[in-house]
Amino acid sequence: MSNQPVDQSRRTWVTMACAAGGVGGVATAIPFVSTFQPSERARAAGAAVEADISNLKSGEMMTVEWRGKPVWIIKRTPEQVAGLSKIDGQLADPKSERKLEMTPEYARNEHRSIKPEVLVAVGICTHLGCSPSSKFQAGPQASLPDDWPGGFLCPCHGSTFDLAGRVFKNKPAPDNLEIPPHMYLSDTKLLIGEDKKA
């Protein structure tokens, strides 16, 4: 233990310098640490999207964007729903069993949807990422077979999908169209990107 007197002015100066350094360090660290958090734009890109389907009529389709991808919402007619079971033999994966992660459990059925008449699917071909065109009209058409039941045609390499987004056999696309997580907030409102209540 030293017998020298304590220099109070020096002690005060050292205390103030340490406090100022601590404040400066915290002030510098806050913006640095905040750069690790996703931006508002990034958060919005992954956020769930609400879709109002109250004006969607039977046989019509609307498109919403979720995570930068087009998501189709199709209200199928009763005839279109009834026709889904008739073409299972023509499909590569009629029950969506090959890639389970692309079809939520509540959509692993013949119509690949929560409600039979409403399909929600990501409108991107599973081959090379093109966006297929809607070809809902059944029957012979250019680039389609004479017994075409209605569905989607990818213009890039000719992959075809039925009205449940299931790929036909012997096509370049290896899998059915992806079904995004979704749920109904009401009879006319869908939430795409979340399915906590499903």
Side-chain angles (χ1 to χ4, degrees), residues 31-106:
F32 177 72
V33 170
S34 69
T35 63
F36 292 113
Q37 297 176 353
S39 67
E40 287 298 320
R41 187 174 179 185
R43 271 184 269 202
V49 176
E50 277 190 34
D52 183 352
I53 60 170
S54 58
N55 293 323
L56 193 62
K57 294 178 177 62
S58 287
E60 290 184 347
M61 176 176 96
M62 65 183 280
T63 304
V64 297
E65 187 177 330
W66 171 67
R67 293 188 175 178
K69 302 174 189 176
V71 174
W72 297 333
I73 304 170
I74 300 121
K75 190 165 187 185
R76 297 174 285 212
T77 65
E79 296 77 27
Q80 289 170 332
V81 173
L84 294 175
S85 62
K86 298 175 183 170
I87 57 170
D88 282 4
Q90 300 174 45
L91 303 169
D93 185 16
K95 297 189 180 358
S96 299
E97 296 172 324
R98 280 202 273 194
K99 283 213 170 173
L100 295 177
E101 70 275 7
M102 292 183 70
T103 307
E105 192 170 333
Y106 48 83

Side-chain angles (χ1 to χ4, degrees), residues 111-122:
H111 37 84
R112 297 186 77 222
S113 58
I114 297 170
K115 294 183 179 184
E117 70 277 11
V118 179
L119 173 68
V120 179
V122 175

